[in-house]
Every structure is written in structure tokens, then in C-alpha cells.
Amino acid sequence: MDDTHAIALSAQANVGPSGFGSRLQAMPMKSKLSFGIGTLALAGVVFAMTMWSSQGDYKVLYANLADKDGGAVIAQLAQMNVPYRMADGGAAILVPAAQVHDLRLKMATAGLPKGTVSGYELMDSARFGQTQFQERLTFQRGLEGELTRSIGSLAAVRAARVHLALPNQNGFFREQQKPSASVLLTLHAGRTLDRAQVAGIVHLVASSVPEMNPKAVSVLDQSGALLTGGETSAAAGLDAQQLNYVNQIESGYTKRILDLLEPIVGHDNLRASVTADIDFSQTEATSEEFKPNQGADASVSIRSQQTTDQASAGGGALPSGVPGAASNQPPVAATAPLAGASQPLQGAPSAGGTTATGGRREAVTNYEVDKTVRVTKNASGNVKRLNAAVVVNHRSVTDAKGKQSQTPLTADEIEKLTSLVRESIGFNKERGDSVKVINAPFKIDAVPLVETPFWKSPELIDLVRAAAIPAGLAVIALLVFFGLLRPALKSAIAARPPAALPRPGSRIDAVVDDEPGFSSVPALPPPAYLRQLESAKALAKDNPAAVAGIVRGWVAGEAA
């Protein structure tokens, strides 16, 4: 019974208030180590989440860089401690969106990206003592680089290379060679250059080099096709400009048909195609017409006239003419069939059949002749023939029950549609145009509807990718808290620092007269301990002298 009273009194003496610091000091070393590691891990997780949220999304810093420039930019970013990513198979460099403009200015200050094409800036790094050949070569490289930049700025050109052949000039003018150039173009996918654009590139190069003839510039595309030399390409077939013109003509007629018939048959119930035969040949005819003096009413003007008179000395008049009645009549003055020639000739037979004198007279008269020169040149690009083919779907009919069915068009309706097509394209029977309109049911292939699972939807995948990092950090934080911090906190709350023993007899009255206070005890003692404590209290009430003797002997024994 004495031991029971001692245990009860010792338990009552140990109950007292304590702080979190003293409880933390009373923890075991293993709990202290877990608490420290958990606190550091949780702080690291919070710091990582803060850094990830501050970076935000990434945007393109540079795209389509050469390998040399891309490596230099990445090395500069690593030196500046800037995070970066690669996209599109290394074709683009991504950096945090908030630092894009700042990094571009810093890269420009560092001279990056340098670019694979150098222009006149090559002249800035001229070395002292370089030869004339090196100076000429540097100038030629700079001129080629400037032309490459200018040509590469065109919308359809993805890359360009320019080769210049600049011969050495000597003092003999007849032996001087003219410069020439070659241009290699790499066009964007699906883009072409028309004749005017190619001519612009040729004149750009020819105008940039002194004394260069535009005919000495050759332009090629990435497939090796020669884009210059229109005479040779036109003989082989249609060039790009002519093909474009044919496509425009055909698409224009097709659009007319669709715009005219779609309101009648519906948007998806019509297919039309027009084939145009275009004549690009040019013919030139020259004709000359002469209109001489024909008929009595023809107006003729004298261009020149020459008269020669020759007289000879002689005697009297000699008889002449045919004997008879005709010679006895006075002669009639002779007239010419042309204007200006009706003059009597000297020396004609006179009355009586004798000549007046013995001279000769010659007259030469030149008249103006009408001449008409007519030159006829036909225009190129005339339409020789048009062929139009139109397919119209069957009419959709809905019955009273809501079921749809397909019914063909009548012959009268097809004829009306044919007449509309003829009028829309300007049908000309004399040049051999043909129009064919048929009615046939359209076959619509059923597209199988593939339902994508919810967990494969792009929206969910993007959401998971965006939330993967914060979710992972949150899971790590929970594991650290429940695996390290929570057990350490429980141990700190349950730990009690050792209390000082009370003075002898200082709490006898509390044990005898008062109920003990358990407010500072975190948990109730077990039932067996309670029964022992109640027994000690009952003994103190029933026999206080015995309890006082026990305590007195206890104190005396400790003092000894």
C-alpha cells in the first residue's frame, strides 16, 4: 500500500504545463531528424511550385535558324542562366514569354544570330595589308550577300543563292568581258513565280552590277528548271503565265455555272467542269492592192510627163496617104485613152494626104497608181472551243412520314438546266462548243463515327500536361507531410519534460482535502491507475496520521 501511495503522489507531482520548444527538445533524435528533413522537403516543394508558376508559358525566341546560329544562341542562353526549350524538331527555340523581347535585345547586342548570309558588313573587317585580289573577292561576296537578302525577301522565295562572275577589266576595250550572274531559288511549297516576277529578279540583279546585260542573268528553281529564256520555253509548250490564264478562264466559266444553278438544285447537288481550248498563236498578214486606171470614171493624176520634139529641114509637102475618098477628108485629131494625152501629133496626115513637116515628137507620161497596204494581226489568247460538263444530283423528296427518297429530274428540267449553262458560258455552235448536263444520284460514303474515349481527348491531354507538374509537386508535399512531419508533430505534442520534485509535505492538503486537477494532463490515465489513486485518497481520508507517518519516513529515508 505504501508503494501505491508513492506512485500516486509522484504522478500528481509530474502533471504541469509545458511549451512547444521544451516538448520539441524532449523528442527522440529520430523524430527530430524526420521533422527537419520533412520541413526542408516541404520548403523545396513550395519553392519549385513558385518558380514554375512564375515562368508561365514559353514563346518562340527564334525560328528557322541555321545549326551554327542555333548553337550560338543556346550557348548564350546557358551562359545567361535562361531556361529554354526546343520545338518543331529543333527548328524553334522557346523561352519564357515574359523574357522574349528582353532576350532578343540582348542577343542583338551580342551579335546573334549572325545569319548565314553576309553582305557589305564583310568590308568592315578588312585586314591591313590585304591584296587587291582579296579586296575584290570580299566585295564580290558582299554584293552576292546583299542580292541574296533582297531576293529572299520575296514572299514566294524561301531561300536564294546568287553567283556573280565579274571578270577582270583590262585596258583593251575590245577584249573586255561582260559580267554574268546565276540565281538559284528555293520556293515555298505550292508557290510559283510568274514571268513578271522572274523578270523583276533578273532586272534587280542586272541593275546591281555595272555593265551587266539582263540576258546574262540565269534564274533556276530548286528542281533545276530554267525560269528565264521565254523563247525556248514557249516553243516547248505553255509557260506558267499561259497556264495561269487558262486556269482563270476555266475557273471563271465554272463559277458562272455554279452561281447560276446552285440556287435551283442546291449547294451539294451540283458538280461542274469547263475545259477551254485557248489559242495563243499570233498571226500577222500583210496585203497590197493596186488600183490602176480602169473605166472612164477612174480618176487618174499625172505624176510626171516628158515631151521630146525633133524637126528636120525639108522641102514642100509631099503627098501621102491612101489614094481614095478617105485621103480627101480633113484629118481628125488623135486622142489618148488617158488624161493629158489628147494632143494632136505633129506630122499627122493633113488634108489632101500630105504631111506638114518632116519632124518627130515623143511624149512620156507617168500616172499615179493606187496602192493599199493592209496589216492584220490576230490577238493571242482567243477561245477556240469550250466544253462544259455538269452533273446534277437527284431531287430529294420527303413523304408524309418524314422519309426521304431520291427521284430523277424530268427531261424538261434537264433541258432547262442545259439552256442555262449554254447562256452562262456564251455557247457558240460555229466554233464547236459542247455542253452536257446529266442527272445521276450522288454516292455519299458513310463516314464512320469514331468516338474518342474521354481519356484520349486532346483537351484532357492538354489539361493533364499542364497540371502534371503542380499535381506532382502537390503529391510530393502530401507525402512529406504525412510521412515525416505528422509523426514528428505527434511525438512533440505527446512528449513531457521532467518536472522538479515538490518539497516534502507541500501538497499533502491537496491530496487529502481537494480533488486533484487534471486539466494539464493531455490524456486520462488508464482505469487501473485511477483505482490505485482512489484507494490512496481514501486511505488519506480514513487514516491521516498513518499517511503522515509514511510521508515522514519517506522523507527521512531520502534525507539519509
Side-chain angles (χ1 to χ4, degrees):
M1 185 62 69
D2 295 338
D3 297 336
T4 304
H5 296 308
I7 293 172
L9 293 174
S10 299
Q12 181 67 23
N14 289 334
V15 177
S18 62
F20 181 76
S22 58
R23 293 180 181 181
L24 189 62
Q25 293 178 359
M27 290 171 53
M29 183 56 65
K30 182 178 180 180
S31 299
K32 290 181 180 179
L33 186 60
S34 300
F35 183 77
I37 295 175
T39 303
L40 293 177
L42 188 61
V45 170
V46 173
F47 178 75
M49 293 184 67
T50 304
M51 291 297 296
W52 179 83
S53 60
S54 62
Q55 290 180 1
D57 57 344
Y58 280 68
K59 289 189 177 180
V60 177
L61 178 64
Y62 294 110
N64 298 326
L65 289 179
D67 296 339
K68 184 177 180 180
D69 291 336
V73 170
I74 290 176
Q76 186 70 18
L77 292 176
Q79 185 178 359
M80 298 168 60
N81 295 327
V82 177
Y84 63 89
R85 296 177 184 175
M86 306 298 294
D88 297 336
I93 301 177
L94 306 180
V95 295
Q99 304 180 17
V100 171
H101 302 288
D102 188 17
L103 289 176
R104 285 180 180 174
L105 294 177
K106 292 181 179 179
M107 291 295 173
T109 304
L112 295 175
K114 296 181 179 179
T116 57
V117 179
S118 299
Y120 285 136
E121 59 268 15
L122 292 174
M123 306 296 294
D124 299 336
S125 59
R127 299 186 305 272
F128 178 76
Q130 64 180 358
T131 62
Q132 185 179 4
F133 174 75
Q134 293 176 345
E135 184 178 358
R136 289 184 60 258
L137 184 60
T138 303
F139 173 75
Q140 181 175 345
R141 290 179 56 195
L143 182 57
E144 290 177 352
E146 294 294 335
L147 291 174
T148 301
R149 290 177 179 175
S150 300
I151 298 174
S153 61
L154 298 178
V157 178
R158 184 169 61 90
R161 293 195 66 182
V162 179
H163 303 278
L164 296 178
L166 304 179
N168 294 328
Q169 302 297 334
N170 50 26
F172 299 97
F173 181 77
R174 295 181 179 180
E175 296 180 0
Q176 290 182 357
Q177 298 179 358
K178 298 297 182 180
S180 60
S182 299
V183 181
L184 177 61
L185 302 178
T186 302
L187 305 179
H188 289 285
R191 309 294 288 279
T192 57
L193 294 177
D194 56 12
R195 185 177 298 179
Q197 291 174 322
V198 175
I201 295 175
V202 170
H203 284 278
L204 172 65
V205 177
S207 301
S208 302
V209 180
E211 299 183 0
M212 178 177 286
N213 193 345
K215 295 182 179 180
V217 180
S218 301
V219 181
L220 291 82
D221 60 2
Q222 66 270 25
S223 62
L226 184 63
L227 301 182
T228 54
E231 294 79 10
T232 57
S233 61
L238 300 181
D239 57 5
Q241 186 176 6
Q242 293 174 348
L243 291 175
N244 188 21
Y245 178 75
V246 173
N247 293 332
Q248 290 180 357
I249 293 294
E250 293 178 350
S251 60
Y253 283 120
T254 304
K255 187 176 182 300
R256 291 182 184 179
I257 297 174
L258 295 178
D259 292 343
L260 188 62
L261 299 186
E262 277 183 354
I264 301 175
V265 299
H267 178 68
D268 296 330
N269 298 324
L270 178 67
R271 298 292 184 272
S273 176
V274 177
T275 304
D277 186 7
I278 307 299
D279 184 14
F280 290 101
S281 61
Q282 294 183 352
T283 59
E284 184 175 352
T286 303
S287 62
E288 295 184 1
E289 296 180 359
F290 296 92
K291 186 178 179 182
N293 297 322
Q294 298 177 357
D297 298 334
S299 59
V300 179
S301 59
I302 299 175
R303 182 174 59 183
S304 62
Q305 186 176 11
Q306 181 180 0
T307 304
T308 302
D309 295 333
Q310 184 178 2
S312 59
L318 297 177
S320 61
V322 179
S327 60
N328 296 327
Q329 299 295 330
V332 181
T335 58
L338 299 178
S342 57
Q343 295 181 0
L345 295 178
Q346 192 174 3
S350 59
T354 62
T355 56
T357 60
R360 187 179 64 180
R361 180 181 182 186
E362 296 180 357
V364 178
T365 304
N366 297 322
Y367 300 93
E368 290 288 350
V369 179
D370 294 340
K371 179 180 180 182
T372 302
V373 179
R374 183 176 293 105
V375 179
T376 304
K377 185 176 181 180
N378 295 331
S380 62
N382 295 328
V383 179
K384 295 175 59 178
R385 185 179 179 183
L386 289 177
N387 298 326
V390 181
V391 180
V392 182
N393 191 15
H394 284 182
R395 183 188 296 109
S396 298
V397 179
T398 304
D399 56 7
K401 296 182 180 180
K403 184 178 179 180
Q404 291 186 354
S405 60
Q406 301 289 333
T407 59
L409 301 178
T410 61
D412 189 16
E413 292 176 341
I414 295 178
E415 182 62 28
K416 291 181 179 179
L417 295 178
T418 305
S419 300
L420 291 177
V421 173
R422 290 177 178 173
E423 294 297 330
S424 63
I425 66 173
F427 181 80
N428 189 355
K429 186 177 180 180
E430 295 180 356
R431 65 185 181 186
D433 295 349
S434 65
V435 174
K436 187 67 176 179
V437 179
I438 64 173
N439 181 223
F442 286 4
K443 182 180 180 181
I444 302 176
D445 296 333
V447 179
L449 182 61
V450 180
E451 295 184 359
T452 304
F454 175 73
W455 56 274
K456 287 186 178 181
S457 60
E459 294 81 6
L460 182 60
I461 293 176
D462 294 340
L463 181 61
V464 170
R465 288 178 179 176
I469 295 179
L473 295 176
V475 171
I476 294 175
L478 293 177
L479 292 177
V480 169
F481 179 77
F482 288 102
L484 299 176
L485 293 180
R486 191 169 180 270
L489 292 176
K490 282 186 177 182
S491 179
I493 293 174
R496 296 297 183 193
L501 293 175
R503 290 180 296 131
S506 61
R507 296 189 60 82
I508 296 299
D509 56 345
V511 176
V512 175
D513 297 331
D514 300 332
E515 293 291 335
F518 297 98
S519 58
S520 61
V521 180
L524 294 176
Y529 184 76
L530 259 181
R531 288 195 298 269
Q532 293 177 2
L533 187 58
E534 293 296 334
S535 299
K537 291 170 61 177
L539 178 62
K541 288 182 180 181
D542 295 340
N543 196 354
V547 173
I550 292 172
V551 174
R552 189 181 300 110
W554 181 19
V555 174
E558 289 182 357

